[in-house]
């Protein structure tokens, strides 16, 4: 894609800041309302998404108690892929895939479909796909749904282009904040990955949106929309919610261990990135735009694979908890890593509406737990932060956003002492991954999409008959 020269880029940023400031001066109340409603919309769609996935997951587990896995899992996987693929193909083709590259493309001035229609199809199709067994996470769709809601708000506001870009990025960050209960992680991700901006007015508006989404999520959970997920109590007010409560100790010697872990995870994260991209390229080569067939076959294959595995792998939430709490042995940790490594790549290659952040966190936690067990057996010491440092490092190695990765892993424990260990491993993983390729998995996915669009346009041009202009009229009286 063509890039602006540095002087033009500075003038563009300065003009964007001025247009946003003028909008704030003239219509500040409407802007604040739009940001609050964007946060509310992101919270509602995020909670509906996770709630719908949990509902289908519980139903799937009930079926597994009554019928054999080799019947339930392939049937649900194939049917879920069929229905989800049909919804996307017939109602909103832009709702396929993770969704993050969709928002990134819009923010980089590509003509991509936006709006509530795309967000609603993403919501329903994502619930069906992930709930029926595709091992993907809710964060990618949450980013796209939050961005779609924000885009609709900016249209109703009739905001300038600069504000529209900012609020779409803020909506994407709000989606992450609502799903992970990580307002700081959502804020940093919107700035670090989506906007690449540190202008004060932009920071303030994105911060308001992401924190409002997290607050709305707590309020909606308290009201019963998503029971059990709220950090709001009727007697004590807002309270700290921790998914895990590890005993955290950070010794000076731990720095060396964490640097070594970050190097190992950085290599594995780059291998995972290349595998996911290879599966997506192969899927495009085999199936082209036949998304329904592609997702149906992928769901069927995934169901057969998981049906052949022990019962522990049938409940991804329980598996993630065992790894995060450090209750899995080295065999289960390595088996989880291998299974998720290959199955999530297959699911992503199918074009299913699901994200990779949640699988990345589990993959990183699994390798951190396994490495910790080995290191303790060899040296007698292992940092207590290895599992969560591995989580952050894996996300950082794939997404090349070490600060966002640190806060996403931190959100699981809410323990300030764990920030530095996660950052050490995340930075090392990020640096090692960059040695192999300077671009993140999402940048490379966008490159694949652009190349695919160019090839399609070339095929159209080859089959298009060239236009031959009519000959100019001859002089008067010329009959030839």
């Amino acid at each position: 894609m063509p890039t602006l020269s540095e002087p033009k880029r500075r003038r563009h940023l300065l003009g964007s800041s001025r247009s946003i400031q003028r909008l704030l001066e003239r219509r500040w109340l409407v802007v604040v309302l739009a940001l609050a409603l964007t946060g509310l919309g992101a919270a509602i769609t995020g909670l509906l998404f996770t709630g719908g996935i949990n509902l289908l997951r519980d139903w799937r587990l009930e079926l597994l108690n009554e019928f054999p896995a080799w019947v339930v899992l392939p049937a649900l996987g194939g049917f879920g892929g069929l229905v989800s693929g049909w919804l996307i193909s017939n109602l909103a083709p832009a709702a396929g895939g993770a969704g993050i590259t969709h928002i990134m493309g819009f923010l980089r001035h590509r003509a991509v479909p936006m709006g509530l229609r795309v967000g609603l199809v993403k919501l329903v199709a994502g619930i069906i796909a992930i709930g029926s067994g595709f091992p993907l996470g809710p964060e990618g769709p949450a980013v796209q749904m939050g961005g779609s809601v924000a885009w609709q708000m900016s249209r109703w506001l009739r905001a300038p282009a600069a504000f529209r870009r900012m609020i779409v990025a803020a909506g994407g960050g709000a989606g992450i904040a609502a799903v992970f209960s990580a307002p700081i992680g959502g804020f940093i991700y919107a700035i670090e990955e989506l906007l690449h901006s540190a202008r004060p007015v932009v920071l303030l508006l994105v911060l308001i949106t992401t924190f409002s989404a997290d607050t709305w999520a707590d309020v909606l959970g308290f009201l019963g929309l998503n029971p059990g997920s709220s950090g709001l109590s009727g007697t004590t007010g807002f309270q700290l919610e921790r998914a895990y409560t590890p005993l955290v100790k950070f010794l000076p010697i731990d720095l060396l261990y964490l640097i070594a872990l970050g190097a190992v995870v950085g290599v594995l994260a780059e291998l995972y990135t290349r595998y996911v991209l290879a599966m997506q390229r192969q899927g495009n080569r085999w199936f082209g735009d036949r998304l329904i067939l592609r997702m149906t076959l992928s769901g069927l294959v995934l169901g057969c694979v998981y049906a052949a595995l022990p019962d522990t792998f049938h409940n991804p939430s329980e598996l993630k908890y065992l790894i995060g709490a450090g209750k899995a042995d080295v065999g289960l940790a390595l088996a989880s890593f291998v299974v998720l490594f290959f199955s999530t790549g297959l699911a992503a290659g199918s074009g299913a509406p699901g994200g990779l952040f949640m699988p990345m966190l589990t993959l990183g936690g699994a390798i951190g737990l396994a490495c910790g067990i080995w290191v303790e057996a060899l040296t007698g010491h292992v940092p207590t932060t290895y599992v969560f440092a591995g989580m952050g490092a894996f996300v950082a190695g794939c997404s090349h956003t070490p600060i966002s990765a640190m806060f996403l892993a931190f959100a699981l424990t809410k323990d300030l002492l764990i920030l530095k260990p996660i950052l050490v491993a995340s930075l090392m993983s990020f640096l090692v991954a960059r040695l192999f390729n300077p671009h993140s998995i999402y940048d490379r996915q966008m490159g694949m999409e652009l190349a695919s669009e160019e090839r399609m346009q070339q095929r159209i041009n080859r089959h298009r008959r060239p236009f031959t202009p009519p000959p100019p009229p001859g002089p008067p009286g010329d009959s030839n």
Side-chain angles (χ1 to χ4, degrees):
M1 292 179 64
T3 57
L4 296 174
S5 64
E6 189 61 26
K8 289 184 177 179
R9 184 174 178 273
R10 288 177 181 174
R11 287 196 299 270
H12 173 74
L13 293 177
L14 183 60
S16 299
S17 295
R18 287 176 177 171
S19 64
I20 293 174
Q21 288 172 353
R22 283 196 299 268
L23 183 66
L24 284 171
E25 291 170 0
R26 297 172 184 173
R27 307 175 67 186
W28 66 269
L29 183 59
V30 177
V31 170
V32 171
L33 183 62
L35 295 177
L37 291 178
T38 296
L40 175 60
I44 290 175
T45 53
L47 293 182
L48 285 175
F49 197 78
T50 53
I53 291 172
N54 292 337
L55 185 65
L56 282 184
R57 179 203 62 200
D58 294 342
W59 180 62
R60 187 176 72 246
L61 293 175
E62 289 178 6
L63 289 177
L64 287 172
N65 291 330
E66 300 179 9
F67 303 99
W70 60 268
V71 173
V72 174
L73 296 181
L76 281 181
F79 183 72
L82 172 68
V83 175
S84 180
W86 184 91
L87 288 172
I88 295 169
S89 297
N90 290 278
L91 298 180
I100 291 179
T101 55
H102 185 91
I103 298 299
M104 290 172 63
F106 173 83
L107 296 175
R108 297 180 188 183
H109 307 287
R110 286 179 56 196
V112 294
M114 298 289 289
L116 293 181
R117 180 188 182 96
V118 174
L120 290 174
V121 173
K122 190 81 170 188
L123 173 68
V124 178
I127 289 174
I128 294 173
I130 300 175
S132 63
F134 283 76
L136 298 171
E139 65 290 332
V143 170
Q144 187 173 5
M145 291 185 298
S148 299
V149 171
W151 181 87
Q152 192 65 58
M153 290 294 172
S154 69
R155 263 190 91 193
W156 290 337
L157 185 62
R158 296 181 181 176
F163 181 80
R164 185 169 298 184
R165 292 183 67 253
M166 184 280 303
I167 197 174
V168 166
I176 287 185
V179 167
F180 281 100
S181 296
I184 300 177
F187 165 69
I188 296 295
Y189 187 77
I191 300 300
E192 188 177 25
E193 177 66 85
L194 299 180
L195 276 177
H196 303 285
S197 174
R199 289 168 287 161
V201 65
V202 173
L203 294 178
L204 176 62
L205 297 179
V206 174
L207 189 68
I208 292 172
T209 310
T210 51
F211 273 77
S212 70
D214 182 65
T215 303
W216 280 121
D218 285 338
V219 172
L220 293 171
F222 175 73
L223 294 176
L225 181 61
N226 195 24
S229 68
S230 176
L232 177 61
S233 167
T235 56
T236 61
F238 289 98
Q239 53 188 351
L240 200 61
E241 290 283 309
R242 304 173 188 263
Y244 303 96
T245 54
L247 178 63
V248 178
K249 296 180 180 179
F250 185 48
L251 305 176
I253 189 64
D254 291 353
L255 284 172
L256 298 178
Y257 288 88
L258 291 164
I259 290 172
L261 176 66
V264 171
V265 173
V267 174
L268 293 174
E270 177 61 23
L271 289 175
Y272 180 72
T273 296
R274 296 188 181 192
Y275 168 67
V276 170
L277 295 173
M279 292 299 295
Q280 291 178 328
R281 280 192 294 267
Q282 197 63 43
N284 293 336
R285 191 175 298 118
W286 284 349
F287 297 100
D289 58 354
R290 293 174 294 177
L291 181 65
I292 299 176
L293 176 63
R294 186 172 174 175
M295 285 189 60
T296 302
L297 291 178
S298 296
L300 185 63
V301 170
L302 287 167
C304 291
V305 169
Y306 276 87
L309 295 172
D311 293 346
T312 308
F313 291 89
H314 298 166
N315 187 351
S317 298
E318 179 65 21
L319 183 63
K320 183 180 69 174
Y321 172 77
L322 291 175
I323 292 172
K327 295 182 178 180
D329 58 21
V330 66
L332 180 58
L334 289 177
S336 303
F337 182 83
V338 172
V339 170
L340 284 175
F341 190 101
F342 290 103
S343 63
T344 54
L346 174 59
S350 72
L356 291 173
F357 272 2
M358 194 69 78
M360 288 176 191
L361 288 170
T362 307
L363 284 165
I367 203 64
L369 179 59
C371 287
I373 295 172
W374 286 335
V375 167
E376 188 173 23
L378 289 173
T379 67
H381 172 74
V382 64
T384 60
T385 56
Y386 244 36
V387 172
F388 299 98
M391 289 181 178
F394 205 94
V395 174
C398 293
S399 67
H400 291 196
T401 54
I403 308 301
S404 301
M406 175 185 69
F407 280 107
L408 288 178
F410 160 76
L412 298 173
T413 67
K414 306 291 196 303
D415 192 327
L416 291 174
L417 189 59
I418 209 170
L419 279 173
K420 187 181 290 185
I422 296 175
L423 181 59
V424 171
S426 297
L427 284 175
M428 189 63 193
S429 175
F430 164 68
L431 293 174
V432 169
R434 276 189 64 89
L435 292 177
F436 295 99
N437 195 299
H439 302 292
S440 72
I441 184 173
Y442 300 113
D443 287 325
R444 284 182 261 181
Q445 284 177 331
M446 281 192 62
M448 288 173 50
E449 293 172 3
L450 287 172
S452 178
E453 292 174 4
E454 289 176 1
R455 286 194 299 269
M456 183 178 297
Q457 189 61 44
Q458 289 173 359
R459 287 197 299 268
I460 293 173
N461 292 337
R462 275 200 305 266
H463 294 289
R464 181 181 294 165
R465 295 179 62 183
F467 173 71
T468 303
D478 187 359
S479 59
N480 295 330

